[in-house]
Amino acid sequence: MSSSSSSSSNSSSNSGSSGSALSLPGDPPGGRRALAVWGIGVSVYFVAVIFRTSLGVAGLDAAERFHVNASALSTFSILQLLVYAGMQIPVGLLVDSLGTKKVLTIGVVLFTAGQLGFAFSPSYGTALASRALLGCGDAMTFISVLRLGTRWFPARRGPMVAQLAGLAGMAGNLVSTLVIARLLHGIGWTAAFAGSALAGVVVLVLLLLFLKDHPEGHEPAPFPHRGAAYVRRQIAASWREPGTRLGLWVHFTTQFPAMVFLLLWGLPFLVQAQGLSRATAGELLTLVVLSNMLVGLVYGQIVARHHTARLPLALGTVGATALVWAVTLLYPGDHAPMWLLIVLCTVLGSCGPASMLGFDFARPANPPERQGTASGITNMGGFVASMTTLFLVGVLLDATGDNYSIAFSVIFVLQAVGVSQILRLRRRAARRESERLVASRVETVHVPV
């Protein structure tokens, strides 16, 4: 992986932070210490994803425990994602002003408290509040880890570091499907969720003892307090860039089918609509995660070698997802065959890696001082789409008497909206990126030696 990243530094410059960033003196050296410090940050994100996706394997149990219907059950994930999406831009600004360590520390405390509260919640209302708290803490992790990578590794390593962080998150999802599910049905609700909360305590200790925002001699410039007007200008400037908006819509269109499946509705669909056992359904959810990790490595290598492959990969993923969902939902008979469900879960595994391509459109569109804000805007896309789909699926299930074919048809609507926006913005974003690349090369040529 590292050799391919090195051999394609020109490609990485297009998809990294910015072209000019590669020529700055004092670029972070990377190395083993950088890997160790960054690894602590990634471990925080890893645990956050475990907590985020733990409800996905406990959806049916939650419905029984709190005596709620499908719409109320979906509210758990909707509220969690609503908080997550709403926090993205504020978190980007917080990381710039407070530093990674402080923001991650706040995040760990919040998502651990949320997971612990969920374990002991006596009612639906307190459980909702716990998931909202969890979503708030979770929202502080991914952008912080992206920024930590830029502080500790050379800019040419940025795209690969981001992809590896995404893979670590999917490993957390794998733990949910393999470990939390078994604990839930082995030792019970309270013990499973309270026990998993101990992982938050462990990463908090590691974070406080060993994590540093940046290596010695690479301190960032002080971040002055410039007030609300500065914040508005940052957001407006990021949004004006076509690449930022294209990144948001790529993230929006690609991420949500797998997110909805893993976060809540996959297990009920496989058990109730397809007649599978919980064990078999859990294995299929695991397949989604494993496929995600494998496809992520493949997509990363392709984009490193062929920068123009970003959009074809994103649109190809959307098309494949729509096709396999259509065949599954329209399949004649009571249940889809196992081979088709395996294909469905394998294709859904490509959604996460495709959503990471959104950041590869937003990064080159914005200068370093706006990277946090631009990443936050991009990261909102998939979570807004997921939140919308979670809600609509729950409402349609209640309205149609648990007809999953009708309920899951909303996926096609959101995909159509997203694709239309991608096609509308793609030329402007490409033109603007080319202009920035040319300007970057001119600046590099004129740098005094």
Side-chain angles (χ1 to χ4, degrees):
M1 265 183 284
S2 60
S3 63
S4 67
S5 188
S6 298
S7 65
S8 57
S9 60
N10 188 45
S11 295
S12 296
S13 70
N14 296 349
S15 57
S17 299
S18 68
S20 60
L22 294 177
S23 61
L24 287 176
D27 212 18
R32 292 183 179 179
R33 189 179 177 212
L35 189 61
V37 173
W38 177 77
I40 295 172
V42 168
S43 70
V44 173
Y45 178 55
F46 171 77
V47 173
V49 174
I50 294 175
F51 292 0
R52 178 202 302 170
T53 57
S54 58
L55 183 61
V57 297
L60 297 176
D61 300 87
E64 295 175 4
R65 180 179 178 88
F66 300 112
H67 309 290
V68 295
N69 60 16
S71 297
L73 180 62
S74 67
T75 304
F76 279 122
S77 297
I78 291 168
L79 179 60
Q80 182 180 332
L81 293 183
L82 178 63
V83 172
Y84 186 104
M87 286 290 293
Q88 289 309 292
I89 294 176
V91 166
L93 294 166
L94 282 174
V95 169
D96 288 336
S97 59
L98 298 180
T100 302
K101 184 171 184 175
K102 291 181 180 178
V103 176
L104 280 178
T105 300
I106 296 170
V108 173
V109 171
L110 291 177
F111 69 61
T112 302
Q115 185 78 342
L116 196 60
F118 196 59
F120 293 100
S121 293
S123 66
Y124 177 68
T126 55
L128 273 179
S130 296
R131 296 307 288 187
L133 191 63
L134 192 156
C136 186
D138 181 19
M140 298 184 176
T141 58
F142 186 64
I143 292 177
S144 297
V145 171
L146 288 180
R147 177 52 60 92
L148 192 67
T150 64
R151 294 296 189 202
W152 279 91
F153 291 95
R156 69 181 185 277
R157 304 292 186 191
M160 186 60 67
V161 169
Q163 284 288 344
L164 291 176
L167 290 177
M170 291 312 299
N173 205 327
L174 188 62
V175 170
S176 289
T177 58
L178 293 178
V179 179
I180 300 295
R182 294 184 181 180
L183 288 175
L184 189 64
H185 300 108
I187 61 178
W189 178 283
T190 300
F193 281 101
S196 66
L198 292 176
V201 177
V202 172
V203 295
L204 178 61
V205 172
L206 292 174
L207 172 62
L208 293 174
L209 291 179
F210 301 113
L211 190 135
K212 294 191 64 176
D213 284 348
H214 47 75
E216 290 82 359
H218 294 272
E219 293 80 3
F223 185 89
H225 179 72
R226 304 178 186 176
Y230 171 75
V231 171
R232 288 194 296 270
R233 286 196 298 271
Q234 283 284 91
I235 296 172
S238 297
W239 182 254
R240 279 196 298 268
E241 290 292 343
T244 304
R245 284 175 280 143
L246 179 59
L248 179 145
W249 284 109
V250 167
H251 200 269
F252 176 101
T253 314
T254 54
Q255 187 198 48
F256 79 93
M259 177 69 72
V260 168
F261 198 80
L262 290 171
L263 201 59
L264 184 61
W265 291 123
L267 187 68
F269 168 75
L270 295 172
V271 173
Q272 295 178 344
Q274 300 303 320
L276 303 180
S277 67
R278 289 196 181 203
T280 303
E283 291 172 356
L284 287 174
L285 293 179
T286 303
L287 176 60
V288 178
V289 179
L290 292 175
S291 173
N292 185 300
M293 298 174 74
L294 178 61
V295 174
L297 293 174
V298 174
Y299 277 19
Q301 293 294 330
I302 292 175
V303 173
R305 290 175 168 82
H306 307 285
H307 191 60
T308 55
R310 293 171 301 170
L311 198 58
L313 284 176
L315 293 176
T317 300
V318 174
T321 305
L323 176 62
V324 74
W325 261 123
V327 173
T328 302
L329 297 178
L330 296 175
Y331 195 87
D334 294 334
H335 307 303
M338 178 57 70
W339 67 264
L340 182 54
L341 295 177
I342 291 174
V343 172
L344 172 66
C345 292
T346 302
V347 172
L348 285 176
S350 66
C351 292
S355 72
M356 293 296 293
L357 299 173
F359 297 99
D360 285 331
F361 289 103
R363 272 194 298 264
N366 292 273
E369 62 269 18
R370 289 207 308 262
Q371 289 297 312
T373 305
S375 295
I377 292 173
T378 300
N379 208 30
M380 286 176 60
F383 291 94
V384 169
S386 299
M387 177 178 60
T388 304
T389 308
L390 284 167
F391 171 73
L392 292 176
V393 169
V395 170
L396 288 172
L397 284 175
D398 286 338
T400 61
D402 292 338
N403 187 320
Y404 281 88
S405 295
I406 295 176
F408 274 113
S409 64
V410 300
I411 290 174
F412 307 119
V413 177
L414 269 73
Q415 285 182 324
V417 171
V419 168
S420 68
Q421 294 300 313
I422 291 172
L423 296 178
R424 182 178 68 86
L425 290 165
R426 73 189 192 283
R427 295 188 187 280
R428 275 183 282 173
R431 183 168 58 251
R432 181 69 170 146
E433 186 173 316
S434 297
E435 292 170 356
R436 283 188 175 276
L437 180 59
V438 171
S440 155
R441 287 174 175 169
V442 170
E443 289 175 9
T444 303
V445 168
H446 290 88
V447 169
V449 179

